[in-house]
Amino acid sequence: MMTDVSPERADRLDAEDALAGFRERFVPITDPGVVAYLDGNSLGRPLRATAERLRELVEHEWGGRLIRAWEERWLALPGQLGDELGRVALGAAPGQTIVADSTSVCLYKTLRAAVALRPGRDEIVTDTANFPTDRFLVESVAAELGLTVRWIETGDVHPGDVAAVTGPRTAAVVLSHVDYRTAAITDLAAVTRVVHERGGLVVWDLCHSVGSLPVELDAAGADFAVGCTYKFLNAGPGAPAFLYVNARHHAEFGQPVTGWMGAADTFGMAEKYVPAPGIRRALSGTPPVLGMVGVQEGVALLAEAGIDRVRAKAVALGRWVLALADAWLVPLGFTVASPRDDDRRGGHVTLRHPDAERLSRVLIEHGVLIDFRRPDGIRIGLSPLTTGFAEVRRAMDRIRELAG
């Protein structure tokens, strides 16, 4: 761990940063009171290109081509964006990823599909520290179908934890790849193997990993995955999420929200629903074209930057936060909740403090935009394409000042 936390060290790290130039691609922060934006893992900053692309869409595609733009461009967007996202960030071959609804709706669809693929099994597994939407939907689907929920009593899930609660009754397991509170990374490939050995299927929540670290869904033999696009992909508030269905499940994959966009003949206005072949059957309603513009630009920028370079900077930023925390904040009563091992830590660092809720409000009032997570976590979000080392140092210095 580095011990030099001087301003000169921060400046050197910024000067050596291969991704530093990408910060100019984002809309500037105009509020002079903002010291640092360290909440991009909740809402990424807007791209200049997104604003330009939206203007082009409104004036030319929508304004000029009118309804003709559906067939000329828009109807193909969910699959096209899904394929590109799969290539750039998910390790997914074409035809398995599609941009669709909100994360919650995508999770409901994939969980229901997973359970249906394992008839006769009556248990769903998740962990007690999973994101609320995941836990709520697991309980909702279980109640809807008369199933039992088995709980893993930890937020730092290891393959052994999964092995201990899964068996011949396990239909599906729902887990987050990166813990939303601590940033602990779950071994996606190893857990998937454990569940498959027991005959179950896995639905992975990638919200805090997509765009921050490489994901290899195909190589891991993953079954299903979902994730949002407004965090590390910077697609904008409420931008549509994505879902992944491994090709081996396509023939039997059935989702419960059977809208017209997922039908075999979208404009046939058929009397009965017949699912489209492949991943397109995962669609339901009309694609949210305006929101997809942000996804398109965010994925394009990530492709240009390269997920491996993004991950390398996320690791470096995490080390920098840990060094500053050890030097300045641990003596003030803070503790580090995130893994110190680079291979086990995602794109944020969480610091615990007994007075974290009040302190978080004070920090935000003084321009350090972080996130509070109950009961005592202050989450330092590290978005590699927008976050600088000197910016992080200024923020940590302000935390030291306000907590001292």
Side-chain angles (χ1 to χ4, degrees):
M1 183 64 68
M2 66 184 77
T3 56
D4 179 4
V5 294
S6 65
E8 292 76 19
R9 175 62 175 165
D11 290 340
R12 285 197 301 273
L13 289 169
D14 276 330
E16 296 165 0
D17 177 14
L19 300 181
F22 283 91
R23 291 203 291 274
E24 300 303 317
R25 310 280 280 276
F26 291 82
V27 175
I29 297 173
T30 56
D31 183 349
V34 173
V35 174
Y37 184 60
L38 299 177
D39 206 4
N41 59 327
S42 287
L43 178 64
R45 288 174 53 190
L47 280 159
R48 295 177 186 267
T50 300
E52 295 168 5
R53 179 77 181 85
L54 280 168
R55 189 178 303 109
E56 176 190 347
L57 183 144
V58 171
E59 293 179 359
H60 300 291
E61 292 178 29
W62 181 10
R65 300 306 297 160
L66 299 168
I67 199 168
R68 294 170 292 182
W70 276 113
E71 286 198 50
E72 292 171 354
R73 189 177 183 95
W74 298 338
L75 284 175
L77 275 178
Q80 289 173 348
L81 291 180
D83 283 349
E84 183 65 0
L85 179 58
R87 182 187 72 82
V88 170
L90 302 178
Q96 300 179 107
T97 309
I98 200 158
V99 176
D101 315 280
S102 70
T103 308
S104 301
V105 175
C106 289
L107 180 57
Y108 176 73
K109 289 179 175 182
T110 51
L111 178 54
R112 280 288 307 270
V115 170
L117 287 170
R118 291 297 180 264
R121 291 172 172 246
D122 62 356
E123 292 182 352
I124 305 175
V125 173
T126 193
D127 63 285
T128 55
N130 208 343
F131 191 76
T133 285
D134 300 57
R135 291 184 284 105
F136 297 164
L137 275 169
V138 164
E139 292 184 301
S140 177
V141 169
E144 184 179 4
L145 301 177
L147 307 179
T148 299
V149 180
R150 294 287 303 276
W151 296 96
I152 300 171
E153 300 287 341
T154 179
D156 187 1
V157 179
H158 293 266
D161 302 317
V162 178
V165 297
T166 52
R169 297 176 63 181
T170 304
V173 177
V174 177
L175 293 173
S176 291
H177 185 205
V178 173
D179 184 272
Y180 79 101
R181 291 184 297 189
T182 68
I185 301 173
T186 297
D187 190 332
L188 187 150
V191 167
T192 299
R193 284 195 300 272
V194 167
V195 177
H196 286 176
E197 287 167 1
R198 286 151 176 77
L201 301 173
V202 189
V203 180
W204 286 102
D205 182 335
L206 306 179
C207 285
H208 279 88
S209 50
V210 62
S212 175
L213 67 153
V215 182
E216 297 293 341
L217 293 175
D218 285 356
D223 300 298
F224 302 95
V226 302
C228 64
T229 61
Y230 51 78
K231 300 181 189 297
F232 295 106
L233 292 176
N234 305 290
F242 65 88
L243 61 85
Y244 162 94
V245 181
N246 192 293
R248 68 176 178 274
H249 295 308
H250 284 186
E252 298 177 295
F253 169 66
Q255 58 101 349
V257 189
T258 51
W260 72 315
M261 283 291 160
D265 184 354
T266 303
F267 294 98
M269 306 303 168
E271 183 178 346
K272 294 185 178 180
Y273 175 81
V274 176
I279 192 65
R280 192 164 66 81
R281 68 177 60 189
L283 293 178
S284 299
T286 304
V289 174
L290 295 177
M292 286 185 175
V293 166
V295 180
Q296 192 170 34
E297 295 301 330
V299 173
L301 191 72
L302 180 62
E304 184 181 344
I307 190 63
D308 291 331
R309 290 202 300 173
V310 167
R311 173 59 179 161
K313 184 176 175 185
V315 168
L317 285 167
R319 288 176 186 164
W320 184 231
V321 171
L322 292 174
L324 292 162
D326 287 340
W328 294 346
L329 302 183
V330 169
L332 298 178
F334 289 82
T335 57
V336 175
S338 299
R340 289 180 175 271
D341 182 348
D342 293 341
D343 292 336
R344 294 271 297 123
R345 186 181 63 251
H348 61 276
V349 174
T350 296
L351 306 174
R352 288 197 172 110
H353 189 277
D355 199 21
E357 185 170 10
R358 182 196 64 81
L359 183 56
S360 293
R361 290 194 295 269
V362 171
L363 292 174
I364 293 169
E365 289 168 1
H366 286 80
V368 180
L369 304 187
I370 46 75
D371 204 5
F372 169 69
R373 283 291 178 257
R374 296 183 187 278
D376 57 0
I378 295 175
R379 201 170 65 170
I380 310 295
L382 305 169
S383 298
L385 297 179
T386 58
T387 305
F389 292 89
E391 177 186 16
V392 169
R393 189 185 187 279
R394 289 194 300 272
M396 297 292 279
D397 192 29
R398 182 62 62 89
I399 294 173
R400 173 175 61 165
E401 172 191 333
L402 294 171

